[in-house]
Amino acid sequence: MSDAHHPAERPLANGRTRIDFQTEPSRYRHWKLQIDGDIATLFLDVDEKGALFEGYDLKLNSYDLGVDIELADALERLRFEHPQVRAVVLRSGKPRVFCAGANIRMLAGASHAHKVNFCKFTNETRNGIEDLSEHSGLATICAISGTAAGGGYELALAADYILLVDDGSSSVSLPELPLLAVLPGTGGLTRVADKRKVRRDHADFFCTTEEGVKGKRALEWRLVDEVVPGSKFEETIIARAREFAARSRRGDAKEGIALAPLSRKFTPGGVDYGSLGVEFDRGARIATVTLRGPTAPPPASVEAMTSLGAAFWPLALARELDDAILNIRLNEFDVAAIVFKSSGDPAAVIAYEQFLDAHADHWLVREIRHLWKRVLKRVDLTSRSLVTLIEPGSCFAGTLAELAFASDRSYMFLGRREGDNRPPAAIALTDANFGPYPMPNGLTRLASRFLANPADLGAAKAERGKMLDAAAAQRLGLVTFAPDDIDWDDEVRMFLEERASFSPDGLTGLEANLRFAGPETMESKIFARLSAWQNWIFQRPNAIGEEGALKRYGTGQKPVFDTRRV
Amino acid sequence: MSDAHHPAERPLANGRTRIDFQTEPSRYRHWKLQIDGDIATLFLDVDEKGALFEGYDLKLNSYDLGVDIELADALERLRFEHPQVRAVVLRSGKPRVFCAGANIRMLAGASHAHKVNFCKFTNETRNGIEDLSEHSGLATICAISGTAAGGGYELALAADYILLVDDGSSSVSLPELPLLAVLPGTGGLTRVADKRKVRRDHADFFCTTEEGVKGKRALEWRLVDEVVPGSKFEETIIARAREFAARSRRGDAKEGIALAPLSRKFTPGGVDYGSLGVEFDRGARIATVTLRGPTAPPPASVEAMTSLGAAFWPLALARELDDAILNIRLNEFDVAAIVFKSSGDPAAVIAYEQFLDAHADHWLVREIRHLWKRVLKRVDLTSRSLVTLIEPGSCFAGTLAELAFASDRSYMFLGRREGDNRPPAAIALTDANFGPYPMPNGLTRLASRFLANPADLGAAKAERGKMLDAAAAQRLGLVTFAPDDIDWDDEVRMFLEERASFSPDGLTGLEANLRFAGPETMESKIFARLSAWQNWIFQRPNAIGEEGALKRYGTGQKPVFDTRRV
C-alpha cells in the first residue's frame, strides 16, 4: 500500500505507512522472552521511544498496538517454537510499575476506528492467553510488583493466577471510569464479574476508585490470588511457576518448529502470500481474499510434517490468512466487504484434513488446529461484511469451508459457466466442520447455523467426504444462494454494491448481532456487550470532546460533562 | 415538575411538561381492547394526530412512546382486570397496514437519551408479552394483514404465533438498516436469531431488504408461523385463538380487580404516592425513593385481599414504584443516582410475605409476584446509579430487600444514631429473595451476587426470617459497607458526590456490565448486546448527522456516509 496518510489519522512513527503484524523476538522493543527449562518468562519493559505512532511516549510500561503485536507474537512462538514450555510468567522488567495500561495520549489522539480495532486485537490476544492455558496446557502466572492499572490489570486478569506484592504500594486498579470517562476496554469488567466472580458491589467500588485496591483487600475481594511480602516475591514466582508447570497437561515434545517470516509481496493493488492472495478493489470497497489449495500431497509422516515446519500448507495458510485479515482490519478501514474465494482441488484439501485427523494427538497438529480456530474466530469478529463465493475451480472443503459458514452470506455457482469446462463448483464437509473450530459462542459454525433444527446438522454430518454440488449444498442449507451462469454476475455484483451503499456502522451492529445466535460465553460477552458499550462511550463527547476526560487528561483541567444519563 | 422545557428537547404535544405513564382504556387513543369470552383482541389503530411530541404525525400505524404506554397498560389490565382471558390477538384496526414501526420523524428529532429510553421501554413491554405467555398462560397471536415493518414486525416477534396473509403484498420486514442506517431497536435481531432461530444468512438477507419478505418464503425462513389467503384470515385468527386458549394454563378466576388510577401528588420537589415518596435534590442530582411499609396487617383471607384490590399494599407499592422509576427515566435525565430508602416495620413486611407465600397459587398473588418481578427488572435496567441506604426505622425485608441487591452498592447503618432510640437497622430475608424474582439473566439477585461461592447463598438462605443487624448483614455479604454514626453521613455524602462527578455515559456502561454476571438470556442479550450497539449507532453521524440517514429520510436526498468500517 502506498497511502501516505494512514487511516488511523495520525502519522505512524518512523515514516511507516502501514501497521505490520509480523515481528520476531530479535526485533522486540518492548518484551523480553526468556526460557528456562519448562518455564518461560515474559518481561514487559516498554521502550518509551518505541511508540507505533508519532506524538506520544510509552511511559510507565504503557502500551499501544505495537506493544501488543509483540506479545501476540511471543505467544505464538511459545506454542510452535517452544513445545517444552509448561508455564509462563508475565512480569514487568521495570521497578515499581507492572503496567500502566493502554497509553492515554495514544487513545486521546487515535481515530475511533483505530481505538475500536486496537481493543479488539488486544482482546483477542488476552483470549489467546486463556486458550493457551485451557487447550495447550500452558498456564500463565502474572506477578505484579508495583502498579497494575487499567489495561495492566486487564492483562493480569487473562492469567490463571495473579500474585501481588503486599508492600503498601503495589496495587491493582481499573481507573478508566474515574480518570478517563471510558470503560476498561480489554475485557476487564467481564473478567472481574464472570471469571473472578468479584461481588458486584465490590466490583463497583473497585472500578470507580482511581487508586485501586491493594494487599489483603485485593485478596479478600478475589481481585488477586495471592499476596506476598516483597522479600518473598522472587521465590514465590518460581514456586508457583513450578507448581503450574508440574500440573501442565502439555505433551513432552522437546523441539519446536521455527515460525519463519511470512513471504509477502505488497503492491498497490494487494498483497501476495505463498498460499493466499489479497486484491483490493478500492473503488468498490472490496477486498478479495483467495485461498490456494495445496500444491503437493500431505507429507508421509509427522516427522516429514515437522521438517516442513512453517511451510506445511495448513500452517502456512492459517498464518497468512491471519495476517491478511489483520492488515484489512487495521490498515484498510474503507473496505466494506471481504470476499472469500479459493482455488485448487477440494480432494487435495480433504487429503490434508485426513492427515491432520490421523495425527490429531501430535502436538504440532493440535497447535495448527488451535491456530485455525483462533484465525476463524478473528474472521467471525471482523467488522466487515463477509461473503464467500464458491465457484468452479474452488476448493472449499473442510477447514476452508468454514469460511463459507463464517460469512454473512455465501453464493455457490450452479452448473458451469459457458465456455468453462471445469467441473461445477463443489463444497465438501469433513470432521473439521463438526468440532475443532468453535465460534466465540462455543458452538461450531454449523451448529450455530442449524440451531432451529439440529436434525439438519446431522443431515450435513452424514454427507462428510462427499463432493456436494450447488443443488446438494442448497438442499442441505450450506449456502445461501445458488445462481446459475445467467444470474451469477448480476447477483454477486448487486449484493456487493448494495453492501457498500449501506451505513458501515449499521452493518457493524447488524452483523455483530446476527453472527452469534445461541449461547454466550465470557468471550462472546467481551466482544458483544462490553465492546459495544465501549464503542458507544468512545465516541461520546464526555470522553472525546474538547472538554471530555480523554482530551483533558494530564492538562490539570477537569473534564466538563453533559450530565444527562442516557 | 415544572420544567417548561422537557429534556427530550422537543416540546411535548398539548402543552404537557411531563411524559405520563398512567392511562386507562377509556383514554386510549391508539389501541382498542376488545374482550370476547376467553379471547381478547388488541386492535392497533393509531390516531395520527395523537403524537406524544409536537412536530410529527403518527402515520401508517407508526408509534411513539405514547402508543406503547397504552399497550403496556392494556397488558396490565389483561393480567389484573381480566383473569378469564386465555389468549390475546394482536392485530391492526387499519386496512393494508399492520404497523409501520417506530415513527421515523419522532426518532429523527428525539434526543439521544429519549431514543434510548424509548427503546428500553418498548423492549420491556415486548418482554412483558412473552412473560404473560410463559408465566401467566396468556398466549399472543399476532395476525398480520398488510405490512409489518420494523418495530411493527418486532411487535409480532414478541407473540407466540405469527399469522401472515398471503396476498402478494402483506409482508414482514426489518428495513431499519437499509432505510435508516440504524438497527431494529426493539429486540428484532435477537428474536430473529435466538427466538425464531432464523438461519443467519437468511436473517442477513431479510434485515438488509427494504421491502421485506412475504408469503411462502416468510414461512420457509421461519419469519412467520402460518400464511393464509386473505379469504381465510378471519376464520384462521379465531381458530388459532381458540386453540391457544384451550391449551392455556391460566386458572379459572372469573373476576378481576380494578386497577384504579394511582394517587399521585406532583410538587416541584418530588412526587408523593400512597406508599412511596420521591424527592428530587436537583442540585446534587439525586432522587430519593422512600418505600413505606404497610400500615395495616395483611388481610385475613384471599377474598379480603381481592376486595382490597389495587389498594392491597404489595400491589399498590409495586405499581407506584414502577411509575416512579419510569418518571425518573423519561422525565428526569439529570438524576445521576437513585437512593432507595424505606420506612416501617420489617416484621409487618414479613407478615405480608407470609400471606403471599401462603396463597402463592391464587391468581392475584401470582400476578402480584410477577408484577414485582417485572418492576425489579425495570430497576436493574435503569441507567442511573442505584444505592440503598438501610437505616434505623427502615423495613428492607423480603421483596423490599431486593432493592438493596439490585443496587450498585448498599450502605447499612451500624448501631444507633446519637439521640435516636429506635432499634438499629435490620434487614430480613424471606423466600421472596430466593426464587420468584429472577433478574434478566435468569438468576435471582442473591444467586448472581454469590456466584463465586454458592455456599454463601445457602448461608444467607439459612437466615430467612431473622432480623439481621449490620454486622450480621456484613458477615453474610448482604450489604457493601456498614459505617457507624461517626462515618455514615460523610461516607454516604462522598459516595453520592463522587457518583455525580463521574461521566454519566461511563457509568451507564460500567453498571450495564457489572450488574449482570453469569448466564445470558434472550432478554439480557436484548438489553446488553443489542441495545449497546443501537446506542452506539444512534449517535453516529451516519444515522443522525445532517447528511445521515435518519435526518435525510423522506427528503428525497440520499444519505452520505463516512465509509470507514469501525
Side-chain angles (χ1 to χ4, degrees):
Chain A
M1 276 159 302
S2 57
D3 321 40
H5 179 61
H6 188 271
E9 283 177 352
R10 93 194 299 170
L12 286 162
N14 303 317
R16 280 172 293 195
T17 55
R18 197 171 59 75
I19 298 173
D20 193 349
F21 290 85
Q22 294 301 302
T23 186
E24 54 191 313
S26 68
R27 290 163 56 204
Y28 292 176
R29 295 186 67 170
H30 310 296
W31 289 91
K32 196 171 73 183
L33 174 57
Q34 196 177 77
I35 292 173
D36 184 7
D38 60 357
I39 293 168
T41 305
L42 271 162
F43 290 93
L44 178 62
D45 189 4
V46 175
D47 176 355
E48 284 195 10
K49 298 296 175 193
L52 184 62
F53 293 95
E54 288 181 6
Y56 57 90
D57 291 340
L58 293 171
K59 294 196 176 150
L60 294 171
N61 260 2
S62 64
Y63 62 84
D64 63 7
L65 182 59
V67 177
D68 225 65
I69 287 171
E70 293 184 4
L71 173 60
D73 183 75
L75 297 169
E76 293 301 320
R77 308 233 169 234
L78 285 172
R79 290 176 177 273
F80 287 98
E81 301 191 342
H82 306 286
Q84 82 285 8
V85 169
R86 292 166 173 273
V88 186
V89 176
L90 269 180
R91 59 184 299 186
S92 171
K94 287 187 165 57
R96 286 180 303 281
V97 63
F98 172 73
C99 169
N103 186 278
I104 296 168
R105 287 182 202 288
M106 177 278 292
L107 286 177
S111 72
H112 184 59
H114 180 79
K115 275 203 287 285
V116 168
N117 280 283
F118 161 70
C119 287
K120 190 176 282 181
F121 182 83
T122 55
N123 269 315
E124 289 169 323
T125 308
R126 308 295 169 279
N127 290 343
I129 293 173
E130 290 172 335
D131 181 88
L132 192 61
S133 172
E134 187 179 349
H135 298 292
S136 298
L138 233 166
T140 302
I141 296 122
C142 185
I144 301 171
S145 172
T147 52
Y153 178 54
E154 289 180 292
L155 177 59
L157 283 168
D160 294 278
Y161 194 83
I162 306 176
L163 180 66
L164 176 68
V165 169
D166 188 4
D167 59 2
S169 69
S170 291
S171 65
V172 297
S173 64
L174 291 177
E176 283 86 346
L177 174 81
L179 270 189
L180 304 169
V182 299
L183 301 187
T186 319
L189 300 183
T190 309
R191 287 200 176 83
V192 162
D194 279 320
K195 182 179 184 180
R196 302 199 62 93
K197 299 185 170 67
V198 175
R199 225 174 71 197
R200 56 173 283 199
D201 49 350
H202 291 159
D204 180 87
F205 180 90
F206 175 61
C207 299
T208 53
T209 305
E210 269 179 45
E211 63 275 22
V213 169
K214 56 194 178 199
K216 191 163 147 258
R217 178 176 267 187
L219 185 65
E220 281 175 2
W221 284 10
R222 308 174 57 88
L223 297 164
V224 305
D225 295 289
E226 182 174 3
V227 290
V228 288
S231 59
K232 302 221 165 153
F233 190 50
E234 296 299 333
E235 68 189 75
T236 310
I237 292 173
I238 294 168
R240 296 298 163 267
R242 287 198 181 134
E243 286 163 24
F244 275 98
R247 287 204 301 268
S248 166
R249 295 169 290 97
R250 211 174 192 199
D252 53 5
K254 293 282 166 270
E255 214 174 324
I257 60 158
L259 291 180
L262 296 182
S263 131
R264 295 179 300 178
K265 192 177 158 201
F266 289 92
T267 62
V271 196
D272 201 71
Y273 300 81
S275 304
L276 181 146
V278 183
E279 280 177 68
F280 296 109
D281 179 344
R282 293 206 171 78
R285 300 179 46 225
I286 295 167
T288 300
V289 175
T290 304
L291 298 93
R292 299 177 196 127
T295 52
S301 64
V302 289
E303 292 72 24
M305 167 185 70
T306 312
S307 301
L308 281 168
F312 180 51
W313 175 77
L315 176 54
L317 184 60
R319 291 178 71 210
E320 292 168 0
L321 178 58
D322 206 30
D323 192 70
I325 293 290
L326 289 169
N327 181 41
I328 294 170
R329 272 199 198 166
L330 269 299
N331 292 312
E332 300 279 350
F333 289 110
D334 220 39
V335 165
I338 300 177
V339 178
F340 293 109
K341 296 188 178 191
S342 65
S343 67
D345 176 4
V349 176
I350 291 177
Y352 272 83
E353 296 290 2
Q354 288 167 341
F355 177 88
L356 293 172
D357 287 341
H359 305 288
D361 289 335
H362 188 268
W363 76 270
L364 181 55
V365 171
R366 277 208 308 268
E367 286 302 337
I368 291 170
R369 288 281 194 215
H370 287 311
L371 175 59
W372 269 104
K373 175 185 69 186
R374 295 192 309 281
V375 175
L376 288 166
K377 283 183 183 179
R378 190 115 69 194
V379 171
D380 293 328
L381 291 167
T382 294
S383 132
R384 312 298 167 99
S385 294
L386 306 172
V387 59
T388 296
L389 301 183
I390 306 162
E391 297 170 285
S394 67
C395 60
F396 285 108
T399 301
L400 300 201
E402 286 294 298
L403 289 169
F405 311 139
S407 292
D408 300 302
R409 289 192 208 173
S410 56
Y411 290 82
M412 185 161 180
F413 200 102
L414 179 70
R416 295 174 193 237
R417 233 182 237 285
E418 210 183 297
D420 182 349
N421 54 15
R422 289 177 300 181
I427 186 169
L429 303 177
T430 70
D431 283 341
N433 306 112
F434 298 90
Y437 305 136
M439 301 170 68
N441 64 3
L443 300 182
T444 64
R445 287 172 192 79
L446 284 181
S448 213
R449 186 175 186 86
F450 295 132
L451 269 184
N453 192 359
D456 292 346
L457 186 63
K461 202 165 182 177
E463 304 293 318
R464 272 169 302 169
K466 296 188 189 155
M467 294 296 161
L468 303 166
D469 65 13
Q474 270 279 60
R475 197 178 58 246
L476 290 166
L478 299 174
V479 297
T480 316
F481 298 113
D484 62 13
D485 195 18
I486 296 169
D487 294 326
W488 178 268
D489 288 345
D490 279 349
E491 253 192 68
V492 170
R493 180 184 50 75
M494 278 165 56
F495 166 67
L496 291 170
E497 285 176 4
E498 181 184 81
R499 218 63 178 187
S501 77
F502 289 148
S503 161
D505 312 326
L507 282 172
T508 294
L510 184 78
E511 292 157 3
N513 279 281
L514 294 183
R515 286 179 188 170
F516 306 99
E520 296 270 350
T521 62
M522 200 168 67
E523 204 172 318
S524 69
K525 272 188 172 184
I526 287 171
F527 289 115
R529 173 197 299 234
L530 182 59
S531 300
W533 283 109
Q534 180 72 310
N535 282 8
W536 178 69
I537 291 163
F538 262 161
Q539 52 161 22
R540 296 284 289 169
N542 286 341
I544 58 160
E546 284 311 312
E547 300 184 324
L550 271 179
K551 282 284 162 67
R552 289 216 160 158
Y553 180 76
T555 63
Q557 285 187 291
K558 275 187 183 274
V560 178
F561 295 135
D562 174 348
T563 54
R564 281 173 301 181
R565 283 291 293 243
V566 173
Chain B
M1 276 158 304
S2 57
D3 320 40
H5 179 60
H6 188 271
E9 283 176 351
R10 91 196 297 172
L12 287 162
N14 303 318
R16 279 172 295 195
T17 56
R18 197 172 57 77
I19 297 172
D20 193 349
F21 290 85
Q22 294 301 303
T23 186
E24 55 190 313
S26 67
R27 290 162 56 202
Y28 292 175
R29 293 185 67 169
H30 309 296
W31 288 93
K32 196 170 72 183
L33 174 56
Q34 196 178 77
I35 291 171
D36 184 6
D38 60 359
I39 294 168
T41 305
L42 270 162
F43 290 93
L44 178 61
D45 190 4
V46 175
D47 177 354
E48 283 195 10
K49 298 295 175 193
L52 184 61
F53 293 96
E54 288 181 6
Y56 57 89
D57 290 339
L58 293 171
K59 294 195 176 151
L60 293 170
N61 260 2
S62 65
Y63 62 83
D64 63 7
L65 182 59
V67 177
D68 225 63
I69 287 171
E70 292 185 3
L71 172 60
D73 183 76
L75 296 169
E76 293 301 320
R77 305 227 173 239
L78 285 171
R79 288 176 177 274
F80 286 98
E81 300 191 342
H82 307 286
Q84 82 285 8
V85 169
R86 291 166 174 275
V88 186
V89 176
L90 270 179
R91 58 185 299 186
S92 170
K94 288 187 165 56
R96 285 180 303 284
V97 62
F98 171 73
C99 168
N103 187 277
I104 296 168
R105 289 184 198 289
M106 178 278 293
L107 285 177
S111 72
H112 185 58
H114 180 79
K115 276 204 285 285
V116 168
N117 280 284
F118 161 69
C119 287
K120 190 176 282 181
F121 182 83
T122 55
N123 268 314
E124 289 169 323
T125 309
R126 308 294 169 281
N127 290 343
I129 292 174
E130 290 172 335
D131 181 87
L132 193 61
S133 172
E134 187 180 349
H135 297 292
S136 298
L138 232 165
T140 301
I141 296 122
C142 185
I144 302 171
S145 172
T147 52
Y153 178 54
E154 288 180 293
L155 178 58
L157 282 168
D160 294 278
Y161 194 83
I162 306 177
L163 180 67
L164 176 67
V165 168
D166 189 4
D167 58 4
S169 70
S170 291
S171 66
V172 297
S173 64
L174 291 177
E176 282 86 346
L177 174 81
L179 271 188
L180 305 169
V182 299
L183 300 186
T186 320
L189 300 183
T190 309
R191 288 200 176 83
V192 162
D194 279 321
K195 181 179 183 180
R196 302 200 62 94
K197 300 183 168 69
V198 175
R199 226 175 70 197
R200 56 174 281 197
D201 50 350
H202 292 158
D204 180 87
F205 180 90
F206 175 61
C207 299
T208 53
T209 304
E210 270 179 45
E211 63 275 21
V213 169
K214 55 195 178 197
K216 191 163 146 258
R217 178 177 267 187
L219 185 64
E220 280 175 3
W221 284 10
R222 308 175 56 88
L223 297 165
V224 304
D225 295 289
E226 182 175 3
V227 290
V228 288
S231 59
K232 301 221 167 154
F233 190 51
E234 297 299 332
E235 68 190 75
T236 310
I237 292 173
I238 294 168
R240 296 299 163 266
R242 287 197 180 134
E243 286 162 24
F244 275 97
R247 287 203 300 269
S248 166
R249 293 168 292 97
R250 209 173 193 200
D252 52 5
K254 293 281 167 272
E255 212 175 326
I257 61 157
L259 291 179
L262 296 182
S263 131
R264 296 178 301 178
K265 192 176 156 201
F266 289 92
T267 62
V271 195
D272 201 71
Y273 299 82
S275 303
L276 182 146
V278 183
E279 279 176 71
F280 296 109
D281 179 345
R282 293 206 170 78
R285 300 179 46 226
I286 296 166
T288 301
V289 174
T290 304
L291 299 93
R292 300 178 194 127
T295 51
S301 64
V302 290
E303 292 72 24
M305 168 184 70
T306 311
S307 301
L308 281 168
F312 180 51
W313 175 77
L315 176 55
L317 184 60
R319 292 178 69 210
E320 291 168 1
L321 178 58
D322 205 32
D323 192 69
I325 293 290
L326 289 169
N327 180 41
I328 293 170
R329 272 200 197 167
L330 270 298
N331 292 313
E332 300 279 349
F333 289 110
D334 221 39
V335 165
I338 300 176
V339 178
F340 292 109
K341 296 188 177 191
S342 64
S343 67
D345 176 3
V349 176
I350 291 177
Y352 271 83
E353 296 290 2
Q354 288 166 341
F355 177 86
L356 293 172
D357 286 341
H359 304 289
D361 289 335
H362 188 268
W363 75 270
L364 181 54
V365 171
R366 277 207 310 267
E367 286 303 336
I368 290 170
R369 287 282 194 215
H370 287 310
L371 175 59
W372 268 104
K373 175 185 69 185
R374 295 193 308 282
V375 174
L376 289 166
K377 284 183 183 178
R378 188 110 75 191
V379 172
D380 292 328
L381 292 167
T382 294
S383 133
R384 313 296 168 99
S385 293
L386 306 173
V387 58
T388 296
L389 302 183
I390 305 163
E391 297 169 285
S394 67
C395 58
F396 286 108
T399 300
L400 298 201
E402 286 294 298
L403 289 168
F405 311 139
S407 290
D408 300 301
R409 287 192 210 174
S410 56
Y411 290 82
M412 186 160 178
F413 202 102
L414 180 70
R416 296 175 193 233
R417 232 181 237 284
E418 209 184 300
D420 182 349
N421 53 14
R422 288 176 301 180
I427 186 170
L429 303 177
T430 70
D431 284 339
N433 305 112
F434 298 90
Y437 306 135
M439 300 171 68
N441 65 3
L443 300 182
T444 64
R445 287 173 191 79
L446 283 181
S448 213
R449 186 175 186 86
F450 296 131
L451 268 184
N453 192 359
D456 293 346
L457 186 64
K461 202 165 180 177
E463 304 293 317
R464 274 169 300 169
K466 295 189 191 154
M467 294 297 160
L468 303 166
D469 64 14
Q474 270 279 60
R475 197 178 59 246
L476 290 165
L478 299 174
V479 297
T480 316
F481 298 113
D484 63 12
D485 194 17
I486 295 168
D487 295 326
W488 177 268
D489 289 345
D490 278 349
E491 256 194 65
V492 170
R493 180 184 50 76
M494 279 165 55
F495 166 67
L496 290 170
E497 284 176 6
E498 182 184 82
R499 217 64 178 186
S501 77
F502 289 149
S503 160
D505 312 326
L507 281 172
T508 294
L510 184 79
E511 291 157 3
N513 279 281
L514 294 183
R515 286 179 187 170
F516 306 100
E520 295 270 352
T521 62
M522 199 168 69
E523 204 171 317
S524 69
K525 273 189 171 184
I526 287 171
F527 289 114
R529 171 196 299 236
L530 182 60
S531 300
W533 283 110
Q534 180 73 308
N535 282 9
W536 179 68
I537 291 163
F538 262 161
Q539 52 161 22
R540 296 284 290 168
N542 286 342
I544 57 161
E546 284 309 313
E547 298 183 325
L550 271 180
K551 282 284 163 67
R552 288 216 160 158
Y553 180 76
T555 64
Q557 284 186 291
K558 275 187 183 275
V560 177
F561 294 134
D562 175 348
T563 55
R564 282 173 300 181
R565 282 292 292 242
V566 173

